[in-house]
Amino acid sequence: MSFLDHIRRCNNADLSAFDPWFVGPHRAGFLHRDFAREAIADSGLFEHRDDGWHLDPALDTPDKRGATMRAFLLGLRERGHFKGLWREEAYDVAPHEGHPVLMTMERAAVPWFGVRAGGPHMTGYVRRRDGLHIWVPRRSYEKPTFPGQLDNTVAGGQPAGLGLHENLVKECGEEASIPPALAQQAKAVSLVAYWNQSGLQLKPDVMTCFDLELPEDFTPRANDGEVHSFELWPVQRVFETVRDTTEFKYNCNLVLIDFFVRHGMLSADAPDFPAILGGLRMMHLPM
Amino acid sequence: MSFLDHIRRCNNADLSAFDPWFVGPHRAGFLHRDFAREAIADSGLFEHRDDGWHLDPALDTPDKRGATMRAFLLGLRERGHFKGLWREEAYDVAPHEGHPVLMTMERAAVPWFGVRAGGPHMTGYVRRRDGLHIWVPRRSYEKPTFPGQLDNTVAGGQPAGLGLHENLVKECGEEASIPPALAQQAKAVSLVAYWNQSGLQLKPDVMTCFDLELPEDFTPRANDGEVHSFELWPVQRVFETVRDTTEFKYNCNLVLIDFFVRHGMLSADAPDFPAILGGLRMMHLPM
């Protein structure tokens, strides 16, 4: 592996297999042709035009769209879709980088509809006399996704109706027992964005990177069963583990590479420097 | 003005007025149709094909291409092009984000050929007990470009054959009398990229952002006539001046906005946060 390999691994989407879908003039996401043929084409909910799929314009409010979509998705679930991953957790569907919210959608369905998701990913670090250290959690071996992999100190999906910082403070309490007054001090310092494909699913995701300097005498503690254990690693060990292995969950590598860059650990004259920095923030449609 | 306005002002290019030009299979830059008609079409140096202009393939080494291009550009200069801006300074022409270097080109011609340029832009800051401060230079009133405007602490174009960090250390000495041992400590922490058009010229530029923490008792001093004066400003004054005015040279605003983000001065929940972060790093061809 290399830093660029992690970026390529996250940006593995073949957009030519997808068609966009729209709510009015707004592109809301992307549908894989095979999923569209199987689940969308005869649903009566979407009309196919030259530029992609269009949600029934009679659904003219976010509430109507959300309710109709929910009923449709529950039908898909009955036919065996989403398996154990249905969460009863609503995500916002919004035009890329835009407002307002077009509707909400069950989290498990979001990547099937190629809807941009995101959430806070926080690196909790300690400045010790012997150098920078990072608190590294290992995901619970019971989690349905990426069990046992290494993760960002605190990270979570972004539910509808919550601010990013508010959500981070909540996750800091749940995942790492970081008290609210300490979690509040986390700073939003970057964005990492990628276009990831997994089978028929597309994740054009944007993660908001937070840094939080933690006091030396604070030890994060798993609180909600999502984390198996925390270890405090010298930043150089994190750097080498990211660079040389796939031990971290795939997208967490990008958040850590961004941390390494912002903390001055890469040389501007490294041959991959521009490609890495450009690749960490693929906000726009790849060509 | 707003932060987004500065990003839009830098990304003002209308690519539909330009055609790419190639060296073999590599896109080297872009030519405005009017400039191409006037200077390129009958030059014998380029052939027009469906996908753009192709440099004569008989020029099969960087040296041959550079020498022929130089003779051609000197001819343009004789016909009144480039005016007082001819520098006798060679820039590298390289495929975007790629290697190897295809040829060198006189700096003054680079934006006429829509060739990506760049260079180090450094923010020199001081951590005082009363908060972060930034050293802000005002450009000399004698400079041919952007006289009297505010600038990044140290910034320079990137000449061929020099490393970015090496170039920064040189510029730190020339522009601000920062001794080499101190300048060496600057860290490359980000990239800022934009697509700027000025008349028939295109700058698809990438600036490498460096941070350098300076000791409280160090005062930068103009050394080469490029800087009129340095002032130490509280970061909040820099923040407000960038946000509300056009006193800084247009692209320097982006480097400072990137600094503000990395130093935790923007909220993740500000409505423009994703648009700003995405807009600061427009590495790829806008659609």
Side-chain angles (χ1 to χ4, degrees):
Chain A
M1 293 299 286
S2 74
F3 290 153
L4 263 188
D5 287 334
H6 285 298
I7 289 169
R8 289 192 199 106
R9 197 168 155 234
C10 283
N11 287 283
N12 69 340
D14 172 13
L15 268 289
S16 70
F18 292 82
D19 286 321
W21 66 278
F22 297 88
V23 176
H26 304 292
R27 192 182 71 209
F30 296 85
L31 294 162
H32 194 284
R33 299 241 168 79
D34 294 347
F35 176 66
R37 189 168 40 230
E38 175 199 334
I40 299 296
D42 300 326
S43 67
L45 261 184
F46 292 87
E47 186 196 344
H48 196 262
R49 296 185 210 156
D50 282 352
D51 60 349
W53 295 93
H54 288 259
L55 189 67
D56 181 356
L59 303 169
D60 56 2
T61 68
D63 280 351
K64 284 188 212 168
R65 292 189 279 264
T68 306
M69 181 59 81
R70 180 175 166 78
F72 171 64
L73 295 175
L74 285 169
L76 284 183
R77 184 172 70 156
E78 270 177 35
R79 284 159 53 194
H81 268 282
F82 313 124
K83 308 210 173 87
L85 291 175
W86 187 274
R87 310 253 199 165
E88 278 305 336
E89 197 179 330
Y91 270 26
D92 280 334
V93 178
H96 285 200
E97 282 175 72
H99 328 269
V101 172
L102 301 171
M103 61 197 286
T104 61
M105 181 183 277
E106 156 61 26
R107 177 174 181 171
V110 162
W112 290 96
F113 285 79
V115 165
R116 174 160 286 177
H121 279 242
M122 190 190 87
T123 305
Y125 66 96
V126 183
R127 283 188 200 282
R128 293 198 341 191
R129 216 172 290 175
D130 58 341
L132 217 59
H133 287 62
I134 292 177
W135 279 105
V136 176
R138 188 176 294 282
R139 296 164 69 88
S140 162
Y141 289 95
E142 318 300 322
K143 269 185 93 92
T145 53
F146 311 100
Q149 287 210 266
L150 301 177
D151 206 334
N152 294 132
T153 313
V154 172
Q158 186 60 29
L162 210 60
L164 272 160
H165 207 278
E166 192 181 1
N167 184 27
L168 176 66
V169 170
K170 182 180 77 68
E171 295 281 354
C172 276
E174 291 173 5
E175 294 190 353
S177 311
I178 299 173
L182 186 51
Q184 290 286 1
Q185 295 170 30
K187 307 286 187 205
V189 286
S190 194
L191 279 191
V192 159
Y194 53 82
W195 294 74
N196 186 255
Q197 181 178 351
S198 171
L200 307 188
Q201 299 179 58
L202 181 72
K203 295 185 174 216
D205 286 356
V206 173
M207 297 178 288
T208 307
C209 305
F210 287 82
D211 276 6
L212 176 60
E213 183 171 350
L214 290 163
E216 264 196 72
D217 60 3
F218 176 80
T219 300
R221 203 167 23 81
N223 197 16
D224 65 355
E226 302 230 335
V227 172
H228 174 264
S229 59
F230 279 100
E231 286 184 18
L232 187 66
W233 287 15
V235 69
Q236 189 60 31
R237 179 175 168 196
V238 184
F239 188 96
E240 289 165 12
T241 304
V242 169
R243 189 190 57 199
D244 303 335
T245 80
T246 56
E247 290 188 43
F248 279 91
K249 187 190 153 202
Y250 75 109
N251 58 355
C252 297
N253 290 292
L254 271 50
V255 173
L256 286 163
I257 296 166
D258 190 85
F259 181 93
F260 303 146
V261 172
R262 287 184 292 98
H263 289 263
M265 295 179 70
L266 266 69
S267 163
D269 293 302
D272 291 341
F273 190 84
I276 289 171
L277 281 265
L280 286 173
R281 205 175 285 169
M282 301 291 284
M283 296 279 285
H284 305 283
L285 198 63
M287 297 185 69
Chain B
M1 294 299 287
S2 73
F3 290 153
L4 262 188
D5 288 335
H6 285 297
I7 290 168
R8 290 192 198 105
R9 199 169 154 232
C10 283
N11 286 283
N12 68 341
D14 172 13
L15 268 290
S16 70
F18 292 82
D19 286 321
W21 66 278
F22 297 88
V23 175
H26 302 293
R27 191 182 72 209
F30 296 86
L31 293 162
H32 193 284
R33 299 238 169 80
D34 294 348
F35 176 68
R37 189 167 41 230
E38 177 199 332
I40 299 296
D42 300 327
S43 67
L45 261 183
F46 291 87
E47 184 196 346
H48 195 264
R49 298 184 208 157
D50 282 351
D51 60 348
W53 296 94
H54 288 258
L55 189 67
D56 181 355
L59 303 169
D60 56 2
T61 68
D63 280 352
K64 285 188 209 166
R65 292 190 279 263
T68 305
M69 181 60 78
R70 180 174 165 79
F72 171 64
L73 295 175
L74 284 168
L76 284 184
R77 184 171 71 156
E78 269 177 35
R79 286 157 53 192
H81 269 283
F82 313 124
K83 309 206 172 87
L85 291 175
W86 187 274
R87 311 251 198 165
E88 280 302 338
E89 196 179 330
Y91 270 26
D92 280 334
V93 178
H96 285 199
E97 284 176 69
H99 328 268
V101 173
L102 301 171
M103 60 196 288
T104 61
M105 181 183 278
E106 154 63 25
R107 178 175 180 169
V110 161
W112 289 96
F113 285 80
V115 165
R116 173 158 287 176
H121 279 242
M122 189 190 87
T123 305
Y125 66 98
V126 183
R127 282 188 201 280
R128 295 198 339 191
R129 217 171 288 176
D130 59 342
L132 217 58
H133 287 62
I134 292 177
W135 279 106
V136 177
R138 189 175 293 282
R139 294 164 71 88
S140 161
Y141 290 94
E142 319 299 323
K143 268 186 93 93
T145 54
F146 311 100
Q149 287 210 268
L150 301 177
D151 206 334
N152 294 131
T153 313
V154 172
Q158 186 61 28
L162 210 61
L164 272 160
H165 208 277
E166 192 182 2
N167 184 27
L168 176 66
V169 170
K170 181 180 78 67
E171 295 281 354
C172 276
E174 290 173 5
E175 294 190 354
S177 311
I178 298 173
L182 186 51
Q184 289 286 1
Q185 294 170 30
K187 307 286 187 204
V189 286
S190 194
L191 279 192
V192 159
Y194 53 81
W195 294 74
N196 186 256
Q197 181 178 352
S198 172
L200 306 188
Q201 300 178 58
L202 182 72
K203 295 185 176 218
D205 286 356
V206 173
M207 297 180 288
T208 307
C209 305
F210 287 81
D211 276 6
L212 176 61
E213 183 171 351
L214 290 163
E216 264 197 71
D217 60 3
F218 176 79
T219 300
R221 205 167 20 81
N223 198 14
D224 64 355
E226 303 229 337
V227 172
H228 175 264
S229 58
F230 279 100
E231 285 184 17
L232 186 67
W233 287 15
V235 69
Q236 190 59 32
R237 179 176 170 195
V238 184
F239 188 95
E240 289 165 12
T241 304
V242 169
R243 190 190 55 198
D244 303 335
T245 80
T246 56
E247 290 187 44
F248 279 92
K249 188 189 153 203
Y250 76 107
N251 58 354
C252 297
N253 290 291
L254 271 51
V255 174
L256 286 163
I257 296 167
D258 190 84
F259 181 93
F260 303 147
V261 172
R262 287 184 292 99
H263 289 264
M265 296 178 70
L266 265 70
S267 163
D269 293 302
D272 292 340
F273 189 85
I276 290 171
L277 280 267
L280 286 173
R281 203 174 288 168
M282 301 292 283
M283 296 281 284
H284 305 282
L285 198 62
M287 299 187 66

